[in-house]
Amino acid sequence: MMTQRISSMDWMLKDLAAGVPQTRHVIVLSADGLCVAQYGAETDTADRLAAACAGLQSLAGAVAAELPRSGGRMRLVVIEMDGGFFYLMAAGDGSYLAVLADEGVDAGLMGAQMRNLVTRMGDHLSSPPRHDGQPA
């Protein structure tokens, strides 16, 4: 079951937040916008971010499809806004890692730490397709 696999990732999400100063929230979500793991965010906040990420990854995929060799897959989206940054990274089949960070975060360190986390999590981040609202 997805929840059992994902709950073991809490310490890894905490490591990312602790390893990159200015990190506010770290979440793992499925492609359909369901938050499956979180650190530093209340449940409502994590759910809102996950839902927004589903639209963002879809939009990024549509833009990527315009590049001849992209395969229509997004790897990383970074949004800079007043007060901070938002990062969304493809993390596995049907899974994404999202981070919200305050202004002043080291962007290079964040990207490297997110890539390291995705590598460490490996198969834990694969989200099976849903059928009738239930995991396969």
Side-chain angles (χ1 to χ4, degrees):
M1 176 179 233
M2 174 72 96
T3 306
Q4 292 170 340
R5 289 189 310 160
I6 298 299
S7 65
S8 67
M9 295 189 310
D10 292 350
W11 66 273
M12 290 187 216
L13 301 182
K14 183 178 179 180
D15 280 355
L16 173 66
V20 183
Q22 307 299 323
T23 300
R24 185 173 284 276
H25 307 303
V26 182
I27 65 172
V28 175
L29 61 130
S30 62
D32 56 358
L34 295 177
C35 179
V36 293
Q38 66 190 51
Y39 178 80
E42 293 183 14
T43 301
D44 288 345
T45 300
D47 287 343
R48 282 192 307 274
L49 286 172
C53 289
L56 185 57
Q57 64 85 17
S58 178
L59 177 62
V63 172
E66 297 303 318
L67 292 170
R69 293 183 292 266
S70 77
R73 289 193 39 140
M74 70 73 105
R75 287 193 226 162
L76 175 67
V77 173
V78 180
I79 300 174
E80 181 178 3
M81 61 206 108
D82 289 343
F85 294 85
F86 175 76
Y87 301 86
L88 179 64
M89 181 177 282
D93 289 338
S95 295
Y96 297 87
L97 175 64
V99 176
L100 192 61
D102 291 330
E103 206 167 33
V105 68
D106 182 328
L109 178 60
M110 179 62 77
Q113 293 289 70
M114 288 178 73
R115 280 188 297 277
N116 289 342
L117 178 57
V118 166
T119 299
R120 284 175 35 210
M121 292 178 140
D123 290 337
H124 293 286
L125 288 179
S126 293
S127 178
R130 297 182 185 283
H131 300 287
D132 298 322
Q134 300 298 317

